[in-house]
Amino acid sequence: MKKTLKKILCTALCAVMALSFAACNSDDSNNPGAEHTLKVSVYAAGYGTAWIEEACRIYSESHKDVAFKIEANNRMFDTIKTRLETDTCDSDIVLIANANYSSLVALNKLEDLSDLYEMTIPDTQNTTVKDVIPEIQYQYRERNGKIYGVPWQDAYASGFIYNKKMFEANHWEIPTTMDEFFVLCDKIAETGIAPLVFGGGQQNGYASGMLNQWFVEYYGYDYIANTFMKYDSPEIYNFTQAGRQKVYETAARLLQGQTSSGKDIVLAGSKAFTAQAAQREFIQGHAAMDICGNWFPTEMTAYLKGYPDFEFGYMPVPHINADKKDYAGNDSSRVRYSLDGNILAIPASSQYKEIAKDFLLSMYTKESYQSFVESNHGVLRPVNLEIDTETLSDFAKASCDYFSAGKEVNQYIYECSLAPMAVNGYLALLISQNGNTLGNLINAQSYESAMSVASVAAADDYARACEMWDSAKNQWKDSYLGVR
C-alpha cells in the first residue's frame, strides 16, 4: 500500500506531461565559436522543448561567450537520476523529478543554490528570486538550511479543449460551474455530436487534476492551506467526506453519465482511447470537447496540419459548486490547485556552475518568463511575476487568466507540505482504493456501477488514512514517515 500511495502524485504529474516526443539534441547556433557550451538535459513530452530553447536563446543574446547543447526526451527524468547516482552525468543544468530530489540531495549530487535565491533578478531594482517564489515552494525543498533547485512549472488541473467553431455556430457559452457544464452537454447531444471525449486508456484520461481542483474549491483556500495540508491527523479525511463524496459523484457523472435525453456524455470508446487517439477524435469533429490541457497545441502540431481550418479553445475546470462558494460559504471561485512541480538543478559535477546559476537567474526576468508562458501556451511557473497577456493567443490567455487569478489573490494551493507524511508523498488529497478511484470510475461498466464506486470512496479515503495512523503514539506510523 505504501508503494502504491507514493505513486499517486507522480502519476498525476505524468498525466499532465505524458506522451512521447522523439529524443532531441541540439546545439545553440546563435553563438558559433562560443567559449563555453553548457549541456542542458530536460524532460520533454507534451510541452516539447521550445520553452528551454527560447530561454537559452535569450541568455545567449547577452552572453556571446555562452552556447547551449540541449538534450531532451520523455525518459530524461529516469536517465538523469541514473547518471547522477552513478557519477556519469556531464550536464550543467538538469530537470529532475521532484520525487528524486531528496535522495539526490542526500547523495550530494546537486549543487547548493541557496545563494541564487538571494540574488537580485537582473531587470528589477531589488527583487530577489526568493521574493517571487511562493514560500511553501522554498520551505518544502529546504534541507538543513540549504536548497538545491528552483521549481520549474505549475502542474495543475487540465480542463477541457473545445471546438471553437462548433461552439460559435451553436451559440454555446463556456460553462463556469459543473451544473452549467451538464446543461451544456444536454444541448450538445441534441445536435447528434458527443459532448465529450477523453483518453481513458492512458493516464486516467487527464482527469486526475480536475478532481483535486474540485476538492480545493469545495473546502476553500483557508481550510486546505492551513488545516488539511498539515496532515496532522486522519480526521482531516473524515471531516472532508462530504466534499469528497461530491467530487467522486461529479466525476462519475462526467465520465459515465448521460444527458437528459438519455445519450452518453462521452464518446463511445473513450475508456479505451489513448490520449492522442482521443485528441484525434476531437479534431475530427466526433466530440465537442476533450479532457486535455495546455500541451494540446504542441502535442498535436503535426496532426493539426491536416485540419487547417480547425479552431480550438481552452476551457478551465468549471467550479464544482453552483454558487462558487466553499463549504463555509466563502467565495472560492479563485482558489487554484497545482502539484508541487519538478525542479531545475545544477549537478555538483558541473564544470560551469556559476554560468549555469546565472542562466537559472535569467529565467526570472520578465522577458524569459514571458517566453516560457508563450512557448507553453499559457502554462505558468511557481512564481509571482506579471505576464503581458496581450501577446498571448486566445487559447493561452484563457488558461493564463484562469490560473493567474489564484495568484493575484494568494489562493494558490500547491500539493506540497512540510508535514512528514506529505514530504514523502504517501498521502494525497484523494487516496481511496489505493489511489485508483478514478481508474475504477473510468472502467466501470455503467453509470450505476460508477456511482457504486463513488458511493464508498469518501469513507474509504478515511479508512486508508486510519490504517496509516498509530493510535498509541498519536502520530503516523513509523513505517510511513520515512526520513526527509
Side-chain angles (χ1 to χ4, degrees):
M1 178 179 177
K2 175 176 169 182
K3 183 177 180 181
T4 303
L5 287 173
K6 188 174 182 180
K7 292 181 179 178
I8 296 173
L9 295 182
C10 295
T11 300
L13 181 56
C14 289
V16 177
M17 302 175 60
L19 299 179
S20 64
F21 260 57
C24 170
N25 289 277
S26 63
D27 288 294
D28 188 289
S29 59
N30 294 322
N31 292 343
E35 182 180 354
H36 312 293
T37 298
L38 274 65
K39 183 177 179 181
V40 183
S41 300
V42 298
Y43 176 87
Y47 289 124
T49 58
W51 64 274
I52 188 63
E53 291 169 0
E54 187 64 8
C56 293
R57 183 196 65 78
I58 291 171
Y59 186 81
S60 292
E61 279 189 349
S62 57
H63 299 78
K64 298 299 184 182
D65 60 332
V66 179
F68 293 90
K69 180 178 180 180
I70 299 171
E71 176 190 34
N73 61 49
N74 68 328
R75 299 174 298 279
M76 196 55 69
F77 283 142
D78 291 335
T79 299
I80 289 301
K81 179 176 182 291
T82 299
R83 288 177 183 172
L84 288 170
E85 289 176 341
T86 57
D87 295 322
T88 58
C89 182
D90 62 351
S91 302
D92 300 290
I93 299 166
V94 293
L95 179 62
I96 63 172
N98 193 64
N100 298 330
Y101 178 71
S102 292
S103 63
L104 292 174
V105 170
L107 291 171
N108 298 314
K109 301 302 181 182
L110 303 179
E111 182 71 7
D112 176 16
L113 298 183
S114 301
D115 59 339
L116 171 62
Y117 280 80
E118 302 303 326
M119 292 180 181
T120 299
I121 299 171
D123 61 355
T124 67
Q125 290 286 333
N126 52 13
T127 302
T128 67
V129 172
K130 192 173 183 180
D131 289 335
V132 301
I133 291 181
E135 186 176 2
I136 186 63
Q137 285 283 341
Y138 181 91
Q139 293 179 342
Y140 179 60
R141 297 183 176 90
E142 190 176 20
R143 301 292 184 270
N144 298 318
K146 298 179 179 180
I147 189 164
Y148 298 83
V150 292
W152 172 51
Q153 72 156 78
D154 289 345
Y156 36 64
S158 50
F160 302 93
I161 312 299
Y162 68 95
N163 187 316
K164 203 169 183 180
K165 286 187 176 180
M166 190 182 292
F167 268 61
E168 291 173 351
N170 290 281
H171 306 290
W172 295 329
E173 296 184 359
I174 303 300
T176 60
T177 69
M178 285 308 295
D179 284 354
E180 293 174 358
F181 179 88
F182 289 123
V183 171
L184 171 63
C185 288
D186 291 344
K187 295 178 180 178
I188 294 173
E190 291 175 2
T191 68
I193 299 293
L196 182 67
V197 66
F198 69 97
Q202 182 177 344
Q203 304 290 355
N204 285 341
Y206 286 150
S208 55
M210 196 176 303
L211 274 64
N212 291 320
Q213 173 64 27
W214 288 335
F215 181 72
V216 299
E217 287 173 347
Y218 190 97
Y219 285 101
Y221 179 83
D222 182 65
Y223 176 79
I224 296 295
N226 299 316
T227 300
F228 187 86
M229 296 305 291
K230 291 182 178 179
Y231 290 109
D232 59 2
S233 164
E235 290 309 307
I236 58 173
Y237 286 88
N238 187 28
F239 179 80
T240 56
Q241 282 199 54
R244 294 168 186 282
Q245 194 67 39
K246 186 167 185 177
V247 166
Y248 289 130
E249 290 177 354
T250 301
R253 184 179 179 187
L254 175 70
L255 302 172
Q256 294 277 2
Q258 295 184 328
T259 66
S260 58
S261 60
K263 296 181 179 180
D264 290 339
I265 290 176
V266 302
L267 181 68
S270 288
K271 67 171 61 179
F273 287 152
T274 64
Q276 286 197 345
Q279 288 159 201
R280 290 193 292 270
E281 294 286 338
F282 166 66
I283 293 170
Q284 292 168 14
H286 299 156
M289 298 175 288
D290 176 31
I291 299 178
C292 200
N294 309 74
W295 57 91
F296 175 83
T298 301
E299 195 167 72
M300 301 306 290
T301 297
Y303 193 77
L304 284 166
K305 290 180 179 178
Y307 297 82
D309 297 325
F310 184 77
E311 296 181 14
F312 54 90
Y314 178 80
M315 181 190 301
V317 179
H319 201 288
I320 192 170
N321 292 328
D323 59 3
K324 300 181 185 178
K325 294 182 179 180
D326 64 21
Y327 79 105
N330 301 311
D331 176 31
S332 64
S333 63
R334 301 178 78 176
V335 64
R336 301 291 182 260
Y337 161 85
S338 175
L339 284 170
D340 52 322
N342 297 308
I343 305 163
L344 284 166
I346 299 173
S349 57
S350 168
Q351 62 177 321
Y352 294 125
K353 295 175 184 176
E354 293 308 312
I355 299 176
K357 195 178 298 182
D358 192 56
F359 170 72
L360 292 181
L361 177 65
S362 76
M363 293 187 73
Y364 289 89
T365 62
K366 292 180 180 179
E367 181 183 12
S368 191
Y369 184 50
Q370 184 79 27
S371 74
F372 180 94
V373 177
E374 290 177 358
S375 297
N376 289 321
H377 307 288
V379 174
L380 304 180
R381 293 180 66 195
V383 296
N384 296 311
L385 292 170
E386 293 184 0
I387 288 293
D388 180 6
T389 59
E390 296 305 314
T391 68
L392 301 178
S393 66
D394 290 344
F395 178 93
K397 187 176 186 303
S399 172
C400 183
D401 286 349
Y402 175 74
F403 289 102
S404 292
K407 296 188 177 184
E408 290 168 1
V409 295
N410 193 30
Q411 293 192 9
Y412 218 87
I413 296 290
Y414 286 101
E415 194 169 340
C416 53
S417 167
L418 300 180
M421 283 294 290
V423 165
N424 290 283
Y426 301 141
L427 278 181
L429 303 186
L430 308 168
I431 60 175
S432 176
Q433 300 160 35
N434 287 336
N436 195 40
T437 308
L438 181 56
N440 292 336
L441 291 175
I442 290 172
N443 293 311
Q445 296 303 305
S446 65
Y447 176 56
E448 290 72 24
S449 296
M451 288 299 286
S452 294
V453 171
S455 68
V456 299
D460 195 45
D461 273 333
Y462 179 46
R464 300 286 75 75
C466 287
E467 287 180 6
M468 291 181 276
W469 185 254
D470 188 328
S471 299
K473 293 183 178 180
N474 197 34
Q475 66 176 39
W476 299 106
K477 291 180 180 178
D478 292 339
S479 58
Y480 290 104
L481 287 175
V483 178
R484 190 177 178 207

